[in-house]
Amino acid sequence: MKRKFTSKKAIVSILLGMSVLAGCTNAEDSPAVSPSASPAATKSVTTVAKENDRTKFDPPVTITAAIALKPSDKLRNGDTPENNPISRWFKDTLGIVTKYQWVVTDASALETKVRLALTSGEALPDVLSASGTVFEDLVASKKIQSIDEAFEKYATPRVKESYQKNPEVWNLVKRNGKLYGLPTLSNGIVGNTVMWIREDWLKKLNLKAPTNVQEYEAVMDAFTNNDPDGNGKKDTYGMAFGANTGYHKPTMNFMSDASFIFGQDQPYQWLKGTDGKLQYGSTKPSVKDALGKLQEWFSKGYISPDFGTQDAAKAMADFTSGKAGIAFAPGWAGGWPVGTAVTEAKTKNLALDFKPYPIPAGIKGEVGRQASPPSYGNYVFREGFKNMEAIFKYWDTMYGCSVEDAQCPFANGKGEGYDYVMKEGKPDWKNIPEGTLSLNAYLLMSPGSGTAPTNVMPGPNIYQRVAAGKKDNVFEQKLAAENGQLTIDGFAVAFQQLNKDVQSGFFGANTPTMKEKWEQLIALEEQTFLQIIYGKQKPDYFDTFVKQWNEQGGAQITKEVNEYTASVK
């Protein structure tokens, strides 16, 4: 393929998604990553892919894909999914043209499209986002390619480094010794909980934010029994708790969960024991003590009597409306629903005072919370697709944006008139005439969850900098403009406890016995946890659950999980 070289001036980089982490990685600063250092290494490499390579493909390379569009994914100025500010930059600068073979409305519709294609023999798009059983079916179909050689040849040093520092994500796509997809890399705090408290209630009752279970109980008791809202009625309780998750994990909702009580022995995850082998966290002895403590709190009225039927939204509504004084939720809850409640209260001349705090130590005196997944999905590539170099040039460009590279082409936003406008030579993110519209849905690929991957960038992250009042560069200014202070503070607090996160030790495909028995086992687990918390069973019933869990397939699954984990080391 003939190629010509074009040059563009470096532009100040922007946040990818909501924000990016601190720091800047330039091509000349990046350490070279040797082939032996990469999990994808298969052979020696004599050339190193260049970061921010603006070499343009001539003739252009067309990449087909699928896109899921929600009603809110609107466009302006005559733009289309294949012709918008993002696609135009990649076409005009790099010669990469996006063409959508499938346009769907959601992930389930995309799954249907994939399965129909596998059945009918229809050609797949060049690139697809796929995980779970769809990913497994695609691997089995042999209609997607392994990326080992392409990654080693075309991935830039900084991209290789990001995976080198988060190697566990490869287990999501590694099958039969080969890599059948490119995982996204989580920033590590997308779903990490912090403790949100009614700060005005703390002040009124002369209390401090709790740091352990004993202090936490004292605060909950006061919030339940000491009339923190001052209405003369006993109509409040300590903790918002929504156990109706819809996915058989009653103590781990995406908001209003109770995970902190388990500390480092988090249920629903595979945890390494003292013998080095993995054990299912829900069967660890300390879980019984934690469930017993939740039962005690329920009996004392510290949590809603309806917690078992409340979903996350309903439980958080109790918190934001003044029924409950504490809720565990991610940093983004500072925008919705917490920040939304504050804004609505102001319109009624009312004042609500919420504040995020680090989570307290759990039942064993250890701080622990469920870690955000290392990845939120994978990209797979059609067997026979030849333009993997273009894939990794696209990937490196967007990855640079996530690490505040000054050469990111989307310095101020994804599109002028969409998420920013220029006024007097400066970007304005708040006063867009027709309102803000996100263009994220129109990215061919996105390397992660909007901010830099875990372990990649040292020093204070951008949330911590902005929370401390810094607005020295466009990244900090954009973050401050696009997010409320509660959201910024929430994520800043979440980062304080990254070293306390509990990550599952198993990321592989479902084992043979999992495929057969897992649904039955997690239903048993959910029923047991709820029965104990509600007081319908004593905490000792947990021992019966563990016995049944092992007998009904859990022991065999544990064996298979450990065998798989040993095989990929």
Side-chain angles (χ1 to χ4, degrees):
M1 175 179 292
K2 293 174 64 178
R3 305 173 70 191
K4 68 181 180 182
F5 291 78
T6 60
S7 62
K8 295 246 177 191
K9 290 185 178 181
I11 309 174
V12 182
S13 112
I14 58 159
L15 306 173
L16 176 59
M18 287 187 295
S19 66
V20 294
L21 298 183
C24 178
T25 305
N26 294 316
E28 58 267 32
D29 296 330
S30 298
V33 181
S34 67
S36 61
S38 169
T42 57
K43 61 181 181 179
S44 297
V45 177
T46 57
T47 59
V48 178
K50 296 180 180 179
E51 294 160 4
N52 292 315
D53 182 2
R54 299 299 187 244
T55 307
K56 186 175 182 179
F57 289 99
D58 185 13
V61 169
T62 297
I63 300 175
T64 61
I67 188 171
L69 295 177
K70 305 183 297 293
S72 59
D73 293 321
K74 299 177 181 179
L75 291 167
R76 291 175 175 154
N77 308 318
D79 288 341
T80 69
E82 295 176 351
N83 183 15
N84 55 69
I86 297 173
S87 65
R88 282 194 291 271
W89 185 90
F90 279 100
K91 178 182 178 181
D92 296 344
T93 308
L94 298 182
I96 298 175
V97 178
T98 301
K99 182 177 178 60
Y100 290 111
Q101 181 173 324
W102 297 337
V103 178
V104 297
T105 56
D106 55 35
S108 62
L110 176 58
E111 179 177 339
T112 299
K113 278 282 191 181
V114 172
R115 296 196 185 284
L116 286 173
L118 292 178
T119 301
S120 67
E122 178 187 358
L124 296 171
D126 297 329
V127 57
L128 279 171
S129 176
S131 56
T133 58
V134 173
F135 173 77
E136 301 301 335
D137 291 344
L138 285 167
V139 173
S141 75
K142 298 183 179 180
K143 292 189 175 182
I144 59 173
Q145 60 180 281
S146 64
I147 68 161
D148 300 70
E149 291 188 17
F151 181 89
E152 199 55 41
K153 185 176 182 180
Y154 298 124
T156 60
R158 65 181 176 189
V159 168
K160 288 180 179 178
E161 181 187 39
S162 69
Y163 287 93
Q164 186 182 27
K165 292 186 174 181
N166 296 276
E168 67 278 0
V169 298
W170 288 124
N171 292 334
L172 295 169
V173 297
K174 193 171 188 179
R175 302 292 182 268
N176 302 316
K178 293 185 177 181
L179 305 175
Y180 284 94
L182 188 61
T184 62
L185 290 171
S186 166
N187 67 3
I189 62 156
V190 175
N192 285 12
T193 56
V194 297
M195 179 173 59
W196 294 92
I197 299 185
R198 281 292 298 268
E199 184 73 3
D200 48 344
W201 288 12
L202 279 181
K203 292 176 180 177
K204 179 180 179 180
L205 300 177
N206 196 28
L207 298 168
K208 294 182 179 180
T211 61
N212 56 47
V213 170
Q214 292 73 31
E215 294 173 357
Y216 187 76
E217 286 181 328
V219 171
M220 284 203 299
D221 184 79
F223 283 179
T224 303
N225 298 310
N226 294 356
D227 192 23
D229 58 358
N231 67 355
K233 301 177 181 179
K234 193 174 184 300
D235 57 357
T236 58
Y237 58 92
M239 179 177 72
F241 180 21
N244 181 14
T245 65
Y247 40 84
H248 298 297
K249 297 179 181 179
T251 61
M252 195 196 79
N253 217 329
F254 72 97
M255 294 189 296
S256 67
D257 80 347
S259 292
F260 91 92
I261 191 65
F262 300 98
Q264 288 290 308
D265 288 346
Q266 288 290 316
Y268 322 120
Q269 294 182 286
W270 292 91
L271 310 176
K272 186 174 291 188
T274 55
D275 59 357
K277 294 184 178 180
L278 294 177
Q279 176 184 353
Y280 190 53
S282 296
T283 65
K284 296 194 68 123
S286 65
V287 172
K288 174 168 69 174
D289 298 330
L291 292 173
K293 181 58 69 174
L294 289 172
Q295 181 188 93
E296 178 185 334
W297 293 348
F298 174 75
S299 69
K300 292 181 177 179
Y302 296 166
I303 59 182
S304 170
D306 302 318
F307 81 90
T309 59
Q310 286 187 326
D311 61 15
K314 179 61 174 68
M316 288 299 290
D318 280 0
F319 176 58
T320 57
S321 67
K323 291 184 179 179
I326 304 174
F328 291 85
W332 52 256
W336 175 86
V338 176
T340 303
V342 172
T343 301
E344 291 176 352
K346 287 181 180 178
T347 64
K348 301 174 184 178
N349 294 319
L350 300 174
L352 291 176
D353 189 3
F354 298 99
K355 186 175 180 179
Y357 286 94
I359 62 173
I363 195 73
K364 291 172 62 178
E366 303 170 332
V367 173
R369 64 182 177 190
Q370 300 236 351
S372 290
S375 173
Y376 282 91
N378 318 300
Y379 291 99
V380 299
F381 307 95
R382 176 181 57 81
E383 179 61 37
F385 174 61
K386 302 298 184 183
N387 293 308
M388 292 300 292
E389 181 181 9
I391 291 293
F392 282 103
K393 286 185 70 172
Y394 196 110
W395 195 270
D396 178 75
T397 298
M398 299 313 303
Y399 179 77
C401 296
S402 73
V403 293
E404 294 187 52
D405 188 334
Q407 296 187 58
C408 169
F410 307 107
N412 302 317
K414 301 276 189 335
E416 186 171 359
Y418 284 93
D419 51 2
Y420 75 99
V421 291
M422 296 299 294
K423 292 185 178 180
E424 298 180 354
K426 296 182 179 180
D428 182 341
W429 299 281
K430 290 186 175 181
N431 302 301
I432 301 171
E434 297 180 65
T436 301
L437 284 180
S438 171
L439 288 173
N440 288 339
Y442 301 96
L443 285 167
L444 178 66
M445 295 177 294
S446 180
S449 46
T451 60
T454 309
N455 304 322
V456 168
M457 302 182 73
N461 64 79
I462 193 168
Y463 290 107
Q464 293 171 319
R465 284 184 270 139
V466 175
K470 288 195 65 179
K471 297 181 184 178
D472 298 339
N473 60 40
V474 68
F475 310 105
E476 296 162 352
Q477 294 159 10
K478 186 171 189 287
L479 180 70
E482 292 188 334
N483 297 273
Q485 191 64 44
L486 281 173
T487 301
I488 295 167
D489 291 344
F491 277 123
V493 170
F495 269 106
Q496 294 178 24
Q497 295 182 309
L498 275 179
N499 63 338
K500 305 298 183 182
D501 287 353
V502 181
Q503 189 66 262
S504 183
F506 174 67
F507 299 106
N510 285 343
T511 70
T513 308
M514 271 184 177
K515 294 176 182 177
E516 181 183 357
K517 302 285 188 180
W518 196 246
E519 285 297 321
Q520 170 188 327
L521 291 175
I522 60 177
L524 172 67
E525 173 185 60
E526 179 181 40
Q527 181 185 43
T528 298
F529 282 24
L530 289 174
Q531 284 180 329
I532 291 175
I533 299 171
Y534 266 119
K536 294 180 179 180
Q537 295 284 359
K538 293 182 178 180
D540 284 345
Y541 181 69
F542 178 81
D543 300 328
T544 301
F545 154 71
V546 173
K547 183 174 183 294
Q548 291 176 337
W549 188 88
N550 281 303
E551 292 175 346
Q552 295 177 23
Q556 179 61 26
I557 289 172
T558 302
K559 180 175 180 291
E560 293 169 358
V561 164
N562 278 287
E563 288 174 347
Y564 172 83
T565 303
S567 72
V568 297
K569 287 183 178 179

